[in-house]
Amino acid sequence: MRVFTYLAKALHSHSSYSKLLVLCSVSTGGLLVYAESNVESGKQIVEKNQSEPEKKKRIVVLGTGWGGTSFLKDLDISSYDVQVVSPRNYFAFTPLLPSVTCGTVEARSIVEPVRNIIKKRSGEIHFWEAECLKIDPENHKVFCRSGINDNLAGHNDFSLQYDYLVVAVGAQVNTFNTPGVMEHCHFLKEVEDAQRIRRTVIDCFEKAVIPGLSEEERRTNLHFVIVGGGPTGVEFAAELHDYVHEDLARIYPLVKDFVKITLIQSGDHILNTFDERISSFAEQKFQRDGIEVLTGCRVNSVSDHFINMKVKSTGQHVEVPYGMVVWSTGVGTRPFVKDFMEQVGQEKRRILATDEWLRVKGCSNMYALGDCASVDQRKVMEDISATFKAADKDDSGTLSMEEFRDVLDDIIISYPQVDLYLKNKKLLAATDLLRDSEGNEREEVDIEGFKLALSHVDSQMKSLPATAQVAAQQGTYLARCFNRWDQCKTNPEGPRRFKSSGRHEFLPFGYRHLGQFAPLGGDQAAAELPGDWVSMGHSTQWLWYSVYAR
């Protein structure tokens, strides 16, 4: 103890000793003293035995839907500082939302709290329950606002700095600026929407049984209208039909005969993104069930009691009384994403554009997934001259079959429409594209022949559908890219760059379609699966159930 007392006095009496390190060994009684002295400038000279760890890059993720959640689940968070911002603190299994509206599935069965997802990951992810208001790409910052009760202490507005930004905020309901839709219609995008619809259905029945109402008033209260004949609208109509006839008819027997369900579709058929056999099957099934399907009708406005629509075939305007309207006509871009699109020169686009690697065009450190963005696939003909030049290794001005085969894999990876074109034309090999007009294989082809061979390939380009399936695959893909960032910088895995030397660091995103289902009620469903396989009927319903079995 005397030794330590002496050292303390020495330290106080000599201001030049700013830091003191004392190491002692109990077993040997040894003592080592090391002091750092101040230099004349007042700065300390610190000798470090090891360098400080490199600061992690910060990834800010906007949204906890299919895209954002898939990204978080697969990302190696040990390499990044991850922060998540979303106005909802849960992930919702949206394909089962129509079932929640009628109680077939309870809301708690299709949600998982975000903090539970975070807990399952090794490492730390910060989550903020707030809404993004603005993106500042120049300063790498997002501005957010908490939607939690204003009566609580503290400010609601805050900002976050980012090194990489992942925008996965989904989309909002597209009303097409139709008057009255926001005020009088129900939507089916969130769990809260499904619960609200369920309450309104019961309210309509309760109002219909009140004494003194006329028959016309009862019919109006029990007229349920769905605007939009896509998968969500069709599935809700089917769920509602089963709910009414299997449950509510027993509870409200006096008014069961007044119930009417109407599906309004502006196109010629419902489920028009499916195979036409499925559309026809669904329409016939609804006709048998008594669900009225009005195709070729466009809704012009919605008031508190009537829907005003125009019948395209006759030009006639019709007023339809209703008790409840569910609007399900597609999705639109969120306001802050629209503002951001103007900042990066995409104001003329309908939706945020990314390249094949999901990078937002015009922003090297920003990515977008799911319904809020669309992959802007490059056209073969835009790069045709550069592709030909890269393939023509001997600069002869012509391509041999060997030279074409050498770049073929890179062409198919870079331009997925080439593979689709081959399948649609039932060509056995890509080299069949270069055959002459009589179908004979050529030994070589010049630039004009090369352009002619690929001139129709871009006709197969299709935008990816706004589905959970696409968003989930994009989230998984982007997480893999971040996980392999350093590895692919030194060992690129992507296709060759036709307009410059070298290869792309990553393989571009490739969507794998796993099929689509449309439950039609009454234990029947329709499915369109890869390989042009169409299934309809009771067996398909069990296939639908098995997809979501846990």
Side-chain angles (χ1 to χ4, degrees), residues 24 35 37 39 56 65 78 111 117 159 195-196 296 304 314 326-327 348 354 415 482 484 500 520 525 537:
C24 60
S37 60
V39 295
K56 293 180 180 180
S78 64
V111 298
I117 297 173
S159 64
Q195 293 173 321
R196 195 175 300 116
D304 54 350
T314 63
V326 174
W327 188 273
K348 294 182 179 180
T354 72
Y415 309 98
F482 273 94
R484 295 169 54 84
S500 60
L520 302 175

Side-chain angles (χ1 to χ4, degrees), residues 65 79 247 253 379 450 514:
S79 304
D247 297 313
K379 294 181 178 180
F450 189 64
L514 301 176

Side-chain angles (χ1 to χ4, degrees), residues 273-517:
T273 59
F274 284 69
D275 186 282
E276 60 181 21
R277 290 170 290 178
I278 291 179
S279 297
S280 177
F281 178 82
E283 289 172 0
Q284 293 172 14
K285 169 73 167 56
F286 279 7
Q287 185 177 13
R288 292 193 301 270
D289 290 345
I291 299 174
E292 184 180 30
V293 177
L294 301 177
T295 57
C297 297
R298 183 179 182 84
V299 175
N300 294 325
S301 65
V302 181
S303 67
D304 54 350
H305 295 298
F306 295 94
I307 293 174
N308 182 281
M309 68 179 186
K310 180 181 179 180
V311 182
K312 293 181 180 179
S313 60
T314 63
Q316 181 183 8
H317 288 266
V318 179
E319 281 194 340
V320 179
Y322 70 85
M324 183 185 76
V325 180
V326 174
W327 188 273
S328 178
T329 61
V331 294
T333 307
R334 296 190 184 277
F336 86 90
V337 177
K338 284 183 180 178
D339 294 340
F340 169 71
M341 290 169 65
E342 292 180 1
Q343 295 181 62
V344 296
Q346 295 192 25
E347 64 275 2
K348 294 182 179 180
R349 291 186 58 88
R350 183 182 60 85
I351 196 169
L352 187 63
T354 72
D355 61 17
E356 304 96 309
W357 293 271
L358 307 184
R359 287 186 300 245
V360 174
K361 288 198 166 185
C363 302
S364 60
N365 63 340
M366 188 179 302
Y367 301 82
L369 316 172
D371 295 357
C372 69
S374 176
V375 177
D376 193 10
Q377 178 61 49
R378 289 179 302 161
K379 294 181 178 180
V380 170
M381 296 309 293
E382 290 178 356
D383 304 333
I384 194 72
S385 298
T387 304
F388 184 88
K389 186 176 181 180
D392 185 17
K393 292 182 177 180
D394 57 5
D395 292 326
S396 63
T398 60
L399 287 188
S400 66
M401 289 300 103
E402 183 178 348
E403 287 176 322
F404 180 63
R405 291 189 187 97
D406 188 50
V407 297
L408 184 57
D409 289 341
D410 294 308
I411 290 175
I412 290 177
I413 292 173
S414 298
Y415 309 98
Q417 60 266 37
V418 174
D419 194 39
L420 288 174
Y421 184 80
L422 294 174
K423 291 177 180 177
N424 287 341
K425 293 296 181 181
K426 295 181 172 55
L427 299 178
L428 298 178
T431 52
D432 291 342
L433 289 169
L434 302 184
R435 292 181 182 272
D436 60 24
S437 57
E438 296 180 358
N440 299 316
E441 187 173 321
R442 290 184 284 193
E443 293 184 0
E444 57 184 27
V445 63
D446 60 12
I447 181 64
E448 294 304 322
F450 189 64
K451 288 180 179 179
L452 182 62
L454 297 174
S455 60
H456 300 295
V457 168
D458 289 329
S459 65
Q460 298 299 314
M461 293 179 64
K462 295 181 180 179
S463 297
L464 296 177
T467 63
Q469 192 177 152
V470 171
Q473 290 185 29
Q474 288 179 335
T476 299
Y477 163 82
L478 187 59
R480 180 182 180 275
C481 291
F482 273 94
N483 294 344
R484 295 169 54 84
W485 193 285
D486 293 335
Q487 180 181 345
C488 290
K489 285 283 186 184
T490 54
N491 297 298
E493 66 178 13
R496 73 178 70 185
R497 301 175 186 268
F498 292 121
K499 290 187 176 181
S500 60
S501 60
R503 307 185 75 86
H504 291 282
E505 293 165 0
F506 302 102
L507 291 168
F509 171 71
Y511 170 60
R512 183 186 175 195
H513 184 58
L514 301 176
Q516 51 185 348
F517 289 84

